[in-house]
Amino acid sequence: MEHLSLFIIMSILLILLPGPDTAIATKNTITGGRAGGMKTVFGTLTALLIHTFAAVLGLSALIVKSAFLFSILKYAGACYLIYLGLKSLWTLKKPGRIQDREEQKPEAKQVNCYRQGFLTNLLNPKVAVFFLTFLPQFLEPGSNTFTQFMIMGLTYTILTFIWFIIYIYLIHQLSAFMKKPAVQNWMEGITGAVLIGFGIKLALERK
């Protein structure tokens, strides 16, 4: 692909912009350690791969063109983000909740982290719009569109994975400080407010 290097540069810049995925990864790394953060990222990557295949098969175009389908996905994603935000804020009213979560079985905690990363990305119609508006700008005329879409989608997913590995490592290095109850309460409040904000922003988003 002639414009692959430019695509990589632009993708990196977009990936570095914080969004709901970053907020969820931050929260789950602090509360669930490196394993919780990585499970969240794997959920996000799974959703990105689904979006890639949806774009290739034309399903994303159907969602973008259909106001009804777009609205369903948009409001479902918004409600889920607001739910996660309210859940985080609720722990501040129940101090024992944080301790209860720490005592949760590792398997259950990691499944929950994976689900949060997966649904946060999958239910965001802006990701579908992104794949249909950003990727075509780098298509090479006359070449196989399917192959190019797959290469760019997989490249974007791999770059996302690399960035989050670095990000989770940095957050984990601060875990001793982050594990303090006062800091966890502060982070829960900030993360909850941010997720609710993202949810409201998504709900008010127009096509």
Side-chain angles (χ1 to χ4, degrees):
M1 287 178 56
E2 182 181 353
H3 305 295
L4 184 59
S5 57
L6 178 60
F7 170 77
I8 291 175
I9 294 172
M10 294 301 297
S11 294
I12 291 174
L13 294 176
L14 289 171
I15 290 168
L16 291 178
L17 291 175
D21 294 339
T22 305
I24 291 295
T26 303
K27 172 180 176 295
N28 289 343
T29 301
I30 294 171
T31 59
R34 194 182 309 182
M38 289 307 300
K39 285 292 182 181
T40 305
V41 173
F42 286 135
T44 298
L45 297 178
T46 303
L48 281 177
L49 290 175
I50 291 176
H51 278 295
T52 298
F53 283 107
V56 171
L57 298 174
L59 297 178
S60 292
L62 179 62
I63 292 173
V64 172
K65 290 180 180 179
S66 171
F68 178 70
L69 292 177
F70 184 89
S71 295
I72 288 179
L73 196 60
K74 179 180 73 171
Y75 289 122
C79 288
Y80 186 68
L81 288 175
I82 293 173
Y83 161 74
L84 292 178
L86 291 175
K87 188 177 179 182
S88 291
L89 294 179
W90 183 250
T91 61
L92 301 180
K93 295 185 64 176
K94 302 286 184 179
R97 289 289 183 91
I98 292 181
Q99 184 177 355
D100 292 341
R101 186 174 54 197
E102 291 296 325
E103 296 173 353
Q104 187 180 9
K105 290 182 179 180
E107 296 82 0
K109 184 186 296 184
Q110 291 181 20
V111 169
N112 189 43
C113 290
Y114 177 87
R115 182 171 61 247
Q116 289 180 8
F118 177 73
L119 292 177
T120 296
N121 191 279
L122 185 68
L123 295 177
N124 189 348
K126 294 176 67 177
V127 180
V129 173
F130 163 79
F131 271 84
L132 286 178
T133 57
F134 181 68
L135 300 190
Q137 298 180 49
F138 300 92
L139 289 176
E140 186 177 337
S143 298
N144 189 297
T145 302
F146 175 86
T147 302
Q148 291 185 79
F149 260 118
M150 288 302 300
I151 291 175
M152 287 189 288
L154 291 174
T155 300
Y156 187 85
T157 301
I158 292 171
L159 291 173
T160 301
F161 178 60
I162 293 173
W163 160 242
F164 273 114
I165 286 180
I166 298 171
Y167 182 75
I168 289 172
Y169 174 79
L170 294 175
I171 295 295
H172 185 69
Q173 291 299 106
L174 298 173
S175 60
F177 171 72
M178 296 289 193
K179 290 292 183 182
K180 294 180 179 180
V183 176
Q184 281 209 355
N185 286 337
W186 181 77
M187 289 300 299
E188 286 285 355
I190 294 294
T191 304
V194 168
L195 289 173
I196 291 173
F198 277 128
I200 294 174
K201 183 175 182 294
L202 179 58
L204 299 177
E205 192 79 26
R206 294 185 178 183
K207 290 179 62 176

